[in-house]
């Protein structure tokens, strides 16, 4: 059974850090593009970051560039999203999505197209 399990969310003060994890089972993440998007109440969905390790490609939303780092741990079949210098604007439910690692993999994953895990809530207090 194909599954993605997102974890690591929580409550943190502005300026703090969280590390999200997206663990896959039933398939190898190495052959997929893995993206994180976030959904906050009343706001449009935002594609935050994506990694396609087989294509040596990463993407970051402008507003998180320099603060967030996405990385793949193929041995653990897990992708991490390290989030530093968090602000209240980062508050949202974060979802990870996997799509085949072709030229459209990250584009699709960031739009929520592909295998999707349940979300993990990140709350940043001011």
């Amino acid at each position: 059974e194909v599954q993605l399990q997102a974890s690591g969310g929580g409550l943190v003060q502005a300026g703090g850090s969280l590390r999200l994890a997206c663990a896959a089972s039933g398939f190898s993440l190495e052959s997929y593009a893995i993206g994180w998007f976030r959904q906050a109440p009343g706001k449009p969905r935002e594609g935050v970051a994506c990694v396609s390790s087989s294509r040596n490609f990463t993407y970051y939303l402008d507003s998180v560039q320099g603060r967030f780092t996405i990385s793949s741990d193929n041995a653990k079949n897990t992708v991490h999203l390290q989030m530093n210098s968090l602000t209240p604007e980062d508050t949202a439910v974060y979802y990870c999505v996997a799509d085949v690692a072709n030229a459209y993999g990250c584009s699709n994953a960031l739009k929520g197209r592909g295998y999707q895990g349940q979300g993990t809530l990140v709350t940043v207090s001011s």
Side-chain angles (χ1 to χ4, degrees), residues 28-104:
S28 172
L29 286 180
E30 191 171 5
S31 301
Y32 284 76
I34 310 301
W36 289 90
F37 72 87
R38 63 190 181 189
Q39 184 75 64
K43 294 184 179 181
R45 177 165 56 192
E46 282 188 313
V48 174
C50 186
V51 61
S52 182
S53 57
S54 64
R55 297 175 66 86
N56 197 28
F57 174 79
T58 55
Y59 162 86
Y60 295 97
L61 181 69
D62 283 348
S63 62
V64 308
Q65 180 77 48
R67 300 189 297 122
F68 290 11
T69 302
I70 191 168
S71 61
S72 296
D73 185 340
N74 292 331
K76 295 183 178 180
N77 215 28
T78 299
V79 167
H80 291 101
L81 184 67
Q82 177 67 43
M83 307 188 297
N84 300 328
S85 303
L86 286 162
T87 74
E89 287 68 38
D90 296 315
T91 295
V93 179
Y94 285 69
Y95 299 87
C96 62
V97 182
D99 194 37
V100 176
N102 57 28
Y104 304 100

Side-chain angles (χ1 to χ4, degrees), residues 1-4 24-27 32 98 115-116:
E1 181 182 5
V2 171
Q3 282 190 332
L4 284 176
S25 59
F27 68 104
Y32 284 76
Y115 298 124
Q116 180 176 321

